[in-house]
């Protein structure tokens, strides 16, 4: 059956390729040729346009494309109390390419405060019309995992239990603030659960002094504490990503190592899962998705290239997944955003929209 509430049978992860107007405006702003007001005016126009494109594809949900951000996560972290961005020796290593050399550290007590992205969401909602406006922010586990203990000032948080308590409360406050701003569909983006599925990444985690299994239990506890008591009319999704930078990736491995903890104990409304290639493994871990209203949004359409998938192949894979979880608990989306950073993936804007039309067409056919 079709769905009238989020997540929708045809859904989207969030980010879109930055149009030339945004790229040019950011260059002009960096050079001092335009001010912040002029930049925001150009962003506003581009966001109105990307909302129109999403609706034209047939989506019931729209995002702002993350057009005001350079990164899917650092820009949000920058707006938190107690977090400082700084330059590092090297960027994040993807498969054959590195990002810009930035990171974040916790230098004082964490807090949400009057975050600037609240205004970003209010603008999106004002131009979303009859579509559901979805806000995307990083998951709390990403803030801890990015630097671990070394990125947390020990004089501020000598005890990590206190840090994790504040981490959960900060996201709890964020959820309430976005809800009060009118948000009824919030997505938490999380690369860490995919790292915990990767043998290579787990070895790196151990080498820095952490236990992958203990981290999984800690992150599940933080997520549940953050979303505990959320309003019934707020849908919260968790997008698990294996890395998405210029069409490359970081981690590989199926969901089995974390499936029982993640799917079996985290009280999220919808899991957005990458399933666009063999690195994602099989559908067997979906057996831990709890029966009922919890949804799993399968990312069977890749955003890493512009080649359109065969609709019949996608339908076949949906049928395979339905062997492990009820078909009415399954939705369809692209596997990730099209531009998790401002650089974007290796496809054109028209290919991007063709991918979304394909998602909508397949969902309408199946459900």
């Amino acid at each position: 059956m079709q769905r009238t509430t989020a997540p929708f049978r045809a859904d989207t992860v969030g980010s879109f390729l930055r149009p030339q107007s945004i790229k040019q405006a950011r260059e002009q702003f960096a050079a001092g040729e335009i001010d912040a007001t002029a930049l925001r005016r150009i962003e506003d126009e581009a966001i109105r346009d990307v909302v129109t494109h999403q609706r034209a594809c047939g989506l019931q949900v729209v995002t702002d494309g993350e057009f005001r951000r350079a990164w899917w996560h650092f820009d949000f972290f920058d707006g938190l109390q107690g977090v400082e961005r700084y330059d590092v020796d090297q960027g994040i290593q993807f498969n054959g390419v590195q990002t810009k050399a930035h990171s974040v550290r916790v230098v004082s007590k964490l807090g949400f405060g009057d975050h600037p992205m609240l205004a970003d969401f209010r603008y999106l909602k004002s131009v979303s019309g009859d579509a559901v406006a979805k806000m995307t922010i990083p998951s709390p586990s990403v803030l801890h995992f990015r630097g671990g203990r070394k990125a947390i000032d020990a004089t501020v948080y000598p005890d990590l239990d206190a840090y994790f308590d504040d981490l959960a409360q900060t996201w709890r406050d964020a959820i309430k603030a976005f809800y009060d701003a009118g948000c009824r569909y919030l997505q938490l983006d999380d690369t860490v659960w995919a790292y915990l599925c990767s043998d290579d990444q787990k070895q790196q985690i151990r080498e820095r002094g952490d236990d992958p299994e203990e981290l999984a239990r800690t992150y599940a506890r933080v997520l549940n504490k953050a979303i505990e008591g959320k309003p019934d009319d707020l849908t919260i999704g968790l997008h698990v990503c294996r890395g998405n930078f210029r069409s490359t990736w970081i981690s590989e491995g199926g969901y089995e190592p974390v499936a029982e903890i993640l799917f079996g104990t985290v009280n999220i409304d919808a899991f957005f899962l990458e399933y666009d290639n063999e690195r994602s493994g099989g559908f067997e871990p979906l057996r831990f998705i709890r029966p009922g209203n919890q949804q799993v949004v399968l990312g069977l359409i890749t955003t890493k290239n512009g080649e359109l998938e065969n609709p019949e192949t996608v339908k076949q894979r949906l049928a395979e997944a339905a062997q492990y979880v009820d078909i009415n608990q399954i939705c369809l989306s692209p596997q990730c955003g099209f531009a998790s950073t401002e650089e974007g993936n290796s496809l054109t804007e028209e290919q991007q929209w063709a991918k979304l039309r394909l998602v909508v067409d397949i969902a309408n056919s199946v459900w």
Side-chain angles (χ1 to χ4, degrees), residues 49-120:
D49 187 55
V50 82
V51 165
T52 298
H53 273 87
Q54 289 170 83
R55 294 296 282 141
C57 289
L59 290 173
Q60 298 167 271
V61 55
V62 294
T63 76
D64 65 3
E66 301 179 5
F67 280 0
R68 303 193 201 274
R69 310 184 206 180
W71 304 75
W72 64 277
H73 55 345
F74 286 148
D75 297 75
F76 179 82
F77 294 154
D78 282 348
L80 297 176
Q81 296 171 347
V83 178
E84 174 184 84
R85 194 198 296 202
Y86 67 105
D87 293 334
V88 291
D89 293 334
Q90 66 179 47
I92 303 166
Q93 185 63 53
F94 280 72
N95 186 37
V97 63
Q98 275 190 16
T99 67
K100 295 171 185 174
H102 297 307
S103 192
V104 290
R105 55 194 172 201
V106 175
V107 296
S108 60
K109 289 286 186 179
L110 288 174
F112 184 69
D114 186 19
H115 199 287
M117 286 190 182
L118 291 170
D120 297 346

Side-chain angles (χ1 to χ4, degrees), residues 106-147:
V106 175
V107 296
S108 60
K109 289 286 186 179
L110 288 174
F112 184 69
D114 186 19
H115 199 287
M117 286 190 182
L118 291 170
D120 297 346
F121 174 77
R122 291 188 188 101
Y123 179 76
L124 170 64
K125 186 169 178 60
S126 76
V127 298
S128 60
D130 61 352
V132 174
K134 176 159 77 168
M135 185 65 188
T136 61
I137 64 174
S139 174
S141 53
V142 179
L143 181 58
H144 171 261
F145 186 84
R146 180 59 61 206

